[in-house]
Amino acid sequence: MTEPTRPIRVLLADDETMIRHGVRLILRHADGIDVVAEAQDGRQAVELAAVHRPDVALVDVRMPVCDGLAAIAPLLALDPAPRVVMLTTFGDEANVIRALREGATGFLLKDEGPQELISAIRAAAAGDAVLSPGVTGAVIARMLRGGDPEAAEAARADDRIARLTAREREVLAMLGEGLSNQEIAGRLGIGVGTVKTHVGAILEKTGSASRVQAALLAHRTGLTS
């Protein structure tokens, strides 16, 4: 007899009560997702995450006491560490880039629809990148015009891509499209385990700390338009 799948445990961190209330109402009707804790600042988010052990932490970028950016590192230092998805507003590209460098799984606009929110949580729990289409393009543009403090590394981007095999470049391009491991496997006609192996090799060879950073590299080098 197959064991039932454990619900995805979610922590919400936002200083706006109405935002937390709205997200909680959406997730209440989503199969296999449980909101286990709510925090109103980053420090409380870390404290509650240590107790409730969420799989995914939805964290607002801007909060009092301790903002979302400062909370990323201590959240990722927990054992087990949750996947951290930043909640942001359009035009906050600089903070999004900082969040990605800190190791966030991705970012989601606050005004995304209910299905996008649910899909993002499931993708994050599965280890996939969460790239909100509404802000990805703006982040890429900022990086390309030098808005990223690490933009000096852009000149070496092609060298990093050159280390990849042809198949790994294919997979990287699909990461740039925001595809999940399962979607990549279906498109290429290979197993999900093989995709995971390719993703691991891509991260190592390109020096990317996360799938999100790898996806941004795909855009920066033209693998993904």
Side-chain angles (χ1 to χ4, degrees), residues 118-167:
I118 293 168
S119 296
I121 290 173
R122 289 175 175 157
D128 290 325
V130 178
L131 301 170
S132 181
V135 74
T136 301
V139 171
I140 300 289
R142 185 185 181 97
M143 293 173 71
L144 292 178
R145 67 175 181 262
D148 182 1
E150 296 182 0
E153 294 186 3
R156 297 196 296 270
D158 287 339
D159 290 338
R160 293 157 68 188
I161 294 297
R163 301 170 192 167
L164 305 179
T165 65
R167 176 64 89 185

Side-chain angles (χ1 to χ4, degrees), residues 4-65:
T5 303
R6 183 177 68 83
I8 299 169
R9 299 169 61 81
V10 176
L11 177 144
L12 307 178
D14 197 300
D15 61 314
E16 296 186 42
T17 303
M18 290 302 296
I19 294 291
R20 297 200 310 272
H21 179 71
V23 172
R24 186 174 67 249
L25 285 180
I26 291 171
L27 299 183
R28 178 179 296 172
H29 301 290
D31 292 335
I33 298 177
D34 284 345
V35 177
V36 297
E38 294 183 34
Q40 58 187 359
D41 59 62
R43 183 171 62 189
Q44 188 179 44
V46 175
E47 294 171 350
L48 291 175
V51 174
H52 295 280
R53 302 161 68 93
D55 302 300
V56 177
L58 288 178
V59 182
D60 186 20
V61 170
R62 301 176 184 275
M63 292 184 290
V65 183

Side-chain angles (χ1 to χ4, degrees), residues 119-209:
S119 296
I121 290 173
R122 289 175 175 157
D128 290 325
V130 178
L131 301 170
S132 181
V135 74
T136 301
V139 171
I140 300 289
R142 185 185 181 97
M143 293 173 71
L144 292 178
R145 67 175 181 262
D148 182 1
E150 296 182 0
E153 294 186 3
R156 297 196 296 270
D158 287 339
D159 290 338
R160 293 157 68 188
I161 294 297
R163 301 170 192 167
L164 305 179
T165 65
R167 176 64 89 185
E168 288 165 356
R169 284 194 291 272
E170 284 185 281
V171 172
L172 177 57
M174 294 178 194
L175 289 179
E177 294 178 40
L179 299 186
S180 67
N181 286 347
Q182 187 171 0
E183 289 169 333
I184 294 173
R187 183 177 293 188
L188 295 178
I190 59 179
V192 173
T194 302
V195 174
K196 291 181 179 179
T197 299
H198 286 318
V199 171
I202 289 167
L203 297 184
E204 180 178 356
K205 291 180 180 181
T206 63
S208 300

Side-chain angles (χ1 to χ4, degrees), residues 61-62 69 72 86-89 91-108 130-131 135-153 209-210 212-214 216-217 220:
V61 170
R62 301 176 184 275
L69 295 172
I72 296 173
M86 307 305 295
L87 292 172
T88 185
T89 56
D92 205 17
E93 297 90 359
N95 282 332
V96 168
I97 291 170
R98 286 181 56 195
L100 298 182
R101 291 203 306 270
E102 290 289 332
T105 294
F107 46 86
L108 190 67
V130 178
L131 301 170
V135 74
T136 301
V139 171
I140 300 289
R142 185 185 181 97
M143 293 173 71
L144 292 178
R145 67 175 181 262
D148 182 1
E150 296 182 0
E153 294 186 3
S210 68
V212 180
Q213 288 187 2
L216 293 175
L217 179 65
R220 175 183 281 168

